[in-house]
Amino acid sequence: MDCVFGIDVGGTNIKLAVIDREGQILDHRKIATRANEGPDAVISRLANELTSFIQADQGWRIRAVGLAVAGAVDARAGVVMVSPNLTGWRNVPLAERLSEMTGYQVVVENDANMAAFGEGWLGVGRTFQSFLVMTLGTGIGGGLILDGWVWSGPFGCAGEIGHITVDPEGWLCNCGNTGCLETIASATGVVRMASELLAQGGSPVLENLINENGDRLTAEIIATAAFKGDALANQVFQRVGRVLGLTAVNLYNLLGLEMIAFSGGMAGAFDLFIGPMREEIKRRSHILPPENLKLLKGILGDDAGTLGAARIAWSHIELGERLGSRVN
Ligand SMILES: [Zn+2]
């Protein structure tokens, strides 16, 4: 049977899956990235893993390999330019190296783009042509699909939605800018906001939850407190909703997107931020009807990246060229 490898390379784990043309996951494995060992060791280990996968032959005929990598990727050249989670990865010709070691055609793309591509193939984006998938976790990633195609831009790393400025006087971001969306609407931002508010005054529900959690404040606990009606925790998610709405409405006005979907750990707080987010969109959208922009939750979860990587491998096979990344 014709299959591809869909691979998601993260800072902690590498997820590998054998995926058929319809998107069925036939088998999957997870290995530790051990990013501290550097790119050569990681690529060798990955190549060995692919070989051993094939030795467990199930009648698969692997046609290509699609890789989703956290970081800035030059998809045309198959090069990982830089990755915040992979130590020492700078201008690594990943597609070429892995192809030499395994003999497969290899396609490399950014992981957030591939999560969006996966959702477009089999998930929440199936019925849409132009949409954004925002991954809300420790940071914020974004994958943009325009008119059915992944938009990576000429420099290979477009869709960095987390680093749109939403507060010019805001906190310093890891990227060097101040007031990025990520400084407020990520798990890190939520914890920081709640800590500042806690320093100003009490919040019994939240304080109890922190005690029960061994004195640790996490985004999950703040969400739990907000669901229980805690005022301080709700104030945090009001702000999150507001800046997400601000970002969304600017994108909507610029691109006329049909839909924005949310995935990642913080998507669990969807019901907490979606109200204020909708209000903000309504307040600022006067040319395009605000109700035309759908706000949804992603449905593929952790599989979005491997499925997207598989879909891009399939589309390269189908189009028989290096760049041809049609989603549906
Ligand atoms: Zn930033």
Side-chain angles (χ1 to χ4, degrees), residues 160-165 171-183:
E160 285 293 344
I161 195 78
H163 302 286
I164 280 187
T165 304
W171 287 306
L172 180 66
C173 181
N174 289 333
C175 75
N177 182 28
T178 52
C180 289
L181 177 65
E182 186 171 296
T183 64

Side-chain angles (χ1 to χ4, degrees), residues 63 71 176 277:
R63 299 282 311 275
M277 183 176 178

Side-chain angles (χ1 to χ4, degrees), residues 4 6-8 17-20 22-25 68 114-115 117-119 121-123 300-314:
V4 297
I7 301 171
D8 195 344
V18 179
I19 296 169
D20 73 8
E22 276 67 52
Q24 213 181 320
I25 298 175
M114 287 304 92
F117 214 54
E119 290 284 359
W121 187 24
L122 299 164
L300 299 181
D302 275 355
D303 290 331
T306 47
L307 285 167
R311 181 68 193 101
I312 210 146
W314 278 120

